[in-house]
Amino acid sequence: MYFNPMLRDIASYEAGKPIELVVREYGIKREDIVKLASNENPYGTSPKVLQSIHLEDMSLYPDDSYYELKDGLAAHYGVDSQNIIIGSGSDQIIEFCIHALHKEGFKILHAGITFAMYGIYAKLYGAKVLKTPDNAHNLAQFLESYQTHKPDIIFLCVPNNPLGECLESKQIEDFLAHISPDTLVVIDGAYQEYAAYKDSARGIAPAHFIDKYPNVIYLGTFSKVYGLGGMRVGYGIAQKDIITALHKVRAPFNITTLSLQAAISALKDQEFIRSCIQKNFEQMTRYEEFATTNGIGFIPSYTNFITYHSEQIQSTKLCQWLLERGVIVRDLASYSLNALRITIGTQEQNTRVFALIQEYFSNN
Ligand SMILES: *Cc1c(COP(=O)(O)O)cnc(C)c1O
């Protein structure tokens, strides 16, 4: 069979291992498995959200305008609902951006190590993928590469998955001043709620950016702190021209009726979001202390995960060892890094992670 030749150099996205697979492969009981591999909210979905969704007659397509969710987001961010597009996860908005801007000789630019989907979608459209020499975001390098190669899209992951570092809002503004309006700058804010809480200088105000820059799109998601990874809802915020173009590549009814209900009520329960973020950083301190005590290196993180690295650790071996004991974390070997990314879990889950890593050290 003939397949699109672009597929040849695309490696499929390596999703976090599902709990069911560990149950089947290692015979571990479902309730004994701790999944800290995909940065989902370990405190689950807000009970208020669960109460608000109803599975009733689902024969009709959803209201494709998604007006109630857009109105909620518009009020939350202080923008107009015409500045918003809804996607099946913000992943889908990444694809919309690439699809809508794609042309002959298309190029994208991103950090040395960042969210894999930028490159995967870009290659699907035959784009050239440029990366900065540094793994983390280094805006001087972005600028240099921009001036040399004039990429069509620049992806800034703020904070960056999988490393956890985070640019400041002011640094991004200074950078944008040098970028021509022909280049789209995507600010991926999948973990912005965490970053803004930890350090307000790292909080991005989408309203401010889209007001000033016609070539910026901000992406947000309900999959992380909002506790709705299973519902697949994300959004993009930009000036109307960009949103209009993206809507042309969006298939209708791209999220479900149930997802829509859940996202609308999740947005209203900001109390839940605040408490999850607070607990996240209390637990993050334990990860930092554990690392320091055990001679493990880590990158200070503005997210709900932490990246551990150490010469003494062989990340693939440690991840496998943890997996066999029911703890799923993310090996970063696929990024050619000897490091692992651990989602910050609940107090109890983290205690188990620490005990297991210590046991690994004493046996290896
Ligand atoms: C999780 C994540 C997303 C989007 O996830 P969706 O579930 O598709 O909304 C986007 N960017 C980054 C950096 C992420 O970590």
Side-chain angles (χ1 to χ4, degrees), residues 88-91 94 115 118 157 161 188 190-191 221 223-224 232-234:
S88 171
S90 59
D91 256 21
I94 297 169
F115 191 47
Y118 311 144
C157 193
N161 175 15
D188 184 345
Y191 304 92
T221 180
S223 303
K224 307 289 158 61
R232 313 302 303 121
V233 188

Side-chain angles (χ1 to χ4, degrees), residues 176-216:
L176 285 170
H178 297 97
I179 307 300
S180 104
D182 318 330
T183 295
L184 178 68
V185 178
V186 176
I187 302 178
D188 184 345
Y191 304 92
Q192 257 297 313
E193 294 86 359
Y194 295 102
Y197 174 95
K198 184 172 175 179
D199 176 10
S200 60
R202 287 175 162 83
I204 302 284
H208 170 74
F209 278 92
I210 69 159
D211 216 30
K212 240 174 127 177
Y213 302 98
N215 57 330
V216 166

Side-chain angles (χ1 to χ4, degrees), residues 13 38-39 87-94 114-118 121 157-162 188-191 219-224 228-230 232-235 305 341:
Y13 181 79
S38 299
N39 308 332
S88 171
S90 59
D91 256 21
Q92 195 178 38
I93 318 259
I94 297 169
T114 190
F115 191 47
M117 292 314 297
Y118 311 144
Y121 283 130
C157 193
V158 193
N160 189 17
N161 175 15
D188 184 345
Y191 304 92
L219 307 186
T221 180
F222 284 93
S223 303
K224 307 289 158 61
L228 291 178
R232 313 302 303 121
V233 188
Y235 50 92
F305 58 83
R341 187 193 70 192

